[in-house]
Amino acid sequence: MKIQRIVTNKLIYAVATILVLAIFVIYLTPKMEIANGALEYLPALNASINATVSVLLILGYYFIRIKKDRKWHSISMKSAFILTALFLISYVIYHTTHESTSYGGEGVIRAVDLVILRTHIVLAAAIVPLVLVTFSR
Protein backbone atom coordinates (compact mmCIF):
# COMPACT_ATOMS: atom_id res chain seq x y z
CA MET A 1 0.00 0.00 0.00
CA LYS A 2 2.82 2.42 0.80
CA ILE A 3 4.36 2.01 -2.66
CA GLN A 4 0.97 2.52 -4.28
CA ARG A 5 0.48 5.76 -2.27
CA ILE A 6 3.92 7.02 -3.38
CA VAL A 7 3.16 6.25 -7.04
CA THR A 8 -0.26 7.90 -6.73
CA ASN A 9 1.22 11.01 -5.15
CA LYS A 10 3.91 11.29 -7.83
CA LEU A 11 1.24 10.99 -10.51
CA ILE A 12 -0.85 13.65 -8.79
CA TYR A 13 2.07 16.08 -8.57
CA ALA A 14 2.91 15.44 -12.22
CA VAL A 15 -0.70 16.12 -13.29
CA ALA A 16 -0.84 19.26 -11.14
CA THR A 17 2.43 20.53 -12.60
CA ILE A 18 1.29 19.88 -16.17
CA LEU A 19 -2.03 21.61 -15.46
CA VAL A 20 -0.36 24.71 -14.02
CA LEU A 21 2.12 24.86 -16.90
CA ALA A 22 -0.68 24.46 -19.44
CA ILE A 23 -2.58 27.39 -17.96
CA PHE A 24 0.63 29.45 -17.97
CA VAL A 25 1.15 28.62 -21.66
CA ILE A 26 -2.38 29.81 -22.43
CA TYR A 27 -1.36 33.31 -21.43
CA LEU A 28 1.74 33.23 -23.64
CA THR A 29 0.25 31.86 -26.84
CA PRO A 30 -1.79 33.74 -29.46
CA LYS A 31 -5.53 33.51 -28.97
CA MET A 32 -7.65 31.35 -31.26
CA GLU A 33 -10.17 33.07 -33.50
CA ILE A 34 -13.76 32.24 -32.69
CA ALA A 35 -17.11 33.50 -33.90
CA ASN A 36 -17.63 37.03 -32.60
CA GLY A 37 -19.34 36.92 -29.21
CA ALA A 38 -19.77 33.12 -29.19
CA LEU A 39 -18.18 32.66 -25.77
CA GLU A 40 -18.98 35.97 -24.09
CA TYR A 41 -21.19 34.20 -21.56
CA LEU A 42 -18.30 32.24 -20.04
CA PRO A 43 -17.15 34.83 -17.46
CA ALA A 44 -20.68 34.96 -16.03
CA LEU A 45 -20.85 31.16 -16.07
CA ASN A 46 -17.48 30.98 -14.29
CA ALA A 47 -18.65 33.42 -11.62
CA SER A 48 -21.83 31.38 -11.11
CA ILE A 49 -19.86 28.15 -10.83
CA ASN A 50 -17.47 29.73 -8.31
CA ALA A 51 -20.38 31.04 -6.22
CA THR A 52 -21.98 27.60 -6.22
CA VAL A 53 -18.70 25.94 -5.25
CA SER A 54 -18.35 28.41 -2.37
CA VAL A 55 -21.80 27.46 -1.08
CA LEU A 56 -20.99 23.75 -1.44
CA LEU A 57 -17.73 24.15 0.49
CA ILE A 58 -19.53 25.97 3.30
CA LEU A 59 -22.21 23.27 3.33
CA GLY A 60 -19.52 20.58 3.42
CA TYR A 61 -17.93 22.26 6.42
CA TYR A 62 -21.35 22.55 8.09
CA PHE A 63 -22.18 18.89 7.48
CA ILE A 64 -18.89 17.56 8.87
CA ARG A 65 -18.36 19.97 11.78
CA ILE A 66 -21.88 20.76 12.97
CA LYS A 67 -24.03 17.84 11.84
CA LYS A 68 -21.26 15.18 11.87
CA ASP A 69 -22.86 13.83 8.69
CA ARG A 70 -20.17 12.20 6.52
CA LYS A 71 -22.58 11.27 3.73
CA TRP A 72 -23.71 14.85 3.02
CA HIS A 73 -20.21 16.18 3.60
CA SER A 74 -18.95 13.80 0.93
CA ILE A 75 -21.74 14.75 -1.47
CA SER A 76 -20.97 18.45 -0.97
CA MET A 77 -17.24 17.98 -1.49
CA LYS A 78 -17.61 15.77 -4.56
CA SER A 79 -20.10 18.22 -6.08
CA ALA A 80 -17.70 21.09 -5.45
CA PHE A 81 -14.87 19.08 -7.05
CA ILE A 82 -16.93 18.31 -10.18
CA LEU A 83 -18.03 21.93 -10.54
CA THR A 84 -14.44 23.10 -10.09
CA ALA A 85 -13.36 20.79 -12.91
CA LEU A 86 -16.12 22.28 -15.10
CA PHE A 87 -14.93 25.75 -14.12
CA LEU A 88 -11.39 24.88 -15.14
CA ILE A 89 -12.56 23.63 -18.54
CA SER A 90 -14.62 26.77 -19.08
CA TYR A 91 -11.74 28.98 -17.89
CA VAL A 92 -9.29 27.33 -20.30
CA ILE A 93 -11.72 27.62 -23.23
CA TYR A 94 -12.33 31.30 -22.52
CA HIS A 95 -8.69 32.22 -22.07
CA THR A 96 -7.57 30.40 -25.22
CA THR A 97 -9.94 32.62 -27.18
CA HIS A 98 -9.82 35.96 -25.34
CA GLU A 99 -7.11 38.30 -24.16
CA SER A 100 -6.82 38.98 -20.44
CA THR A 101 -8.59 42.00 -19.06
CA SER A 102 -6.20 44.44 -17.43
CA TYR A 103 -7.15 46.38 -14.34
CA GLY A 104 -7.86 50.04 -15.06
CA GLY A 105 -7.29 51.47 -11.59
CA GLU A 106 -4.34 53.57 -10.54
CA GLY A 107 -2.30 54.22 -7.42
CA VAL A 108 -2.63 52.26 -4.21
CA ILE A 109 -5.74 50.38 -5.28
CA ARG A 110 -3.88 49.02 -8.32
CA ALA A 111 -1.10 47.74 -6.06
CA VAL A 112 -3.68 46.11 -3.77
CA ASP A 113 -5.36 44.49 -6.79
CA LEU A 114 -2.03 43.14 -8.06
CA VAL A 115 -1.17 41.67 -4.65
CA ILE A 116 -4.56 39.96 -4.48
CA LEU A 117 -4.24 38.69 -8.06
CA ARG A 118 -0.73 37.31 -7.58
CA THR A 119 -1.54 35.58 -4.31
CA HIS A 120 -4.69 34.17 -5.94
CA ILE A 121 -2.61 32.71 -8.77
CA VAL A 122 -0.05 31.15 -6.43
CA LEU A 123 -2.70 29.72 -4.10
CA ALA A 124 -4.82 28.40 -7.00
CA ALA A 125 -1.77 26.53 -8.31
CA ALA A 126 -0.82 25.24 -4.86
CA ILE A 127 -4.29 23.90 -4.06
CA VAL A 128 -4.44 21.56 -7.08
CA PRO A 129 -2.16 18.82 -5.70
CA LEU A 130 -3.66 19.18 -2.22
CA VAL A 131 -7.17 18.57 -3.52
CA LEU A 132 -6.06 15.68 -5.73
CA VAL A 133 -4.19 14.00 -2.86
CA THR A 134 -7.23 14.40 -0.60
CA PHE A 135 -9.55 12.89 -3.20
CA SER A 136 -7.18 9.98 -3.81
CA ARG A 137 -7.51 8.85 -0.20
Side-chain angles (χ1 to χ4, degrees), residues 47-58:
S48 299
I49 290 172
N50 278 339
T52 305
V53 167
S54 297
V55 170
L56 287 168
L57 292 174
I58 292 167

Side-chain angles (χ1 to χ4, degrees), residues 69-89:
D69 188 334
R70 293 179 132 211
K71 175 187 173 193
W72 283 102
H73 168 76
S74 179
I75 290 169
S76 298
M77 295 297 103
K78 288 175 183 172
S79 299
F81 182 80
I82 290 167
L83 283 176
T84 299
L86 291 174
F87 163 81
L88 183 60
I89 292 166

Side-chain angles (χ1 to χ4, degrees), residues 1 5-6 18 23 26 34 66 69 98 100 105 108 116 128:
M1 278 305 219
R5 170 84 48 216
I6 292 169
I18 291 167
I23 291 173
I26 288 170
I34 193 109
I66 309 297
D69 188 334
H98 292 78
S100 296
V108 174
I116 291 170
V128 173

Side-chain angles (χ1 to χ4, degrees), residues 3-13 132-133 136:
I3 293 173
Q4 182 181 0
R5 170 84 48 216
I6 292 169
V7 170
T8 301
N9 286 349
K10 286 184 178 184
L11 180 63
I12 285 170
Y13 291 122
L132 294 175
V133 165
S136 74

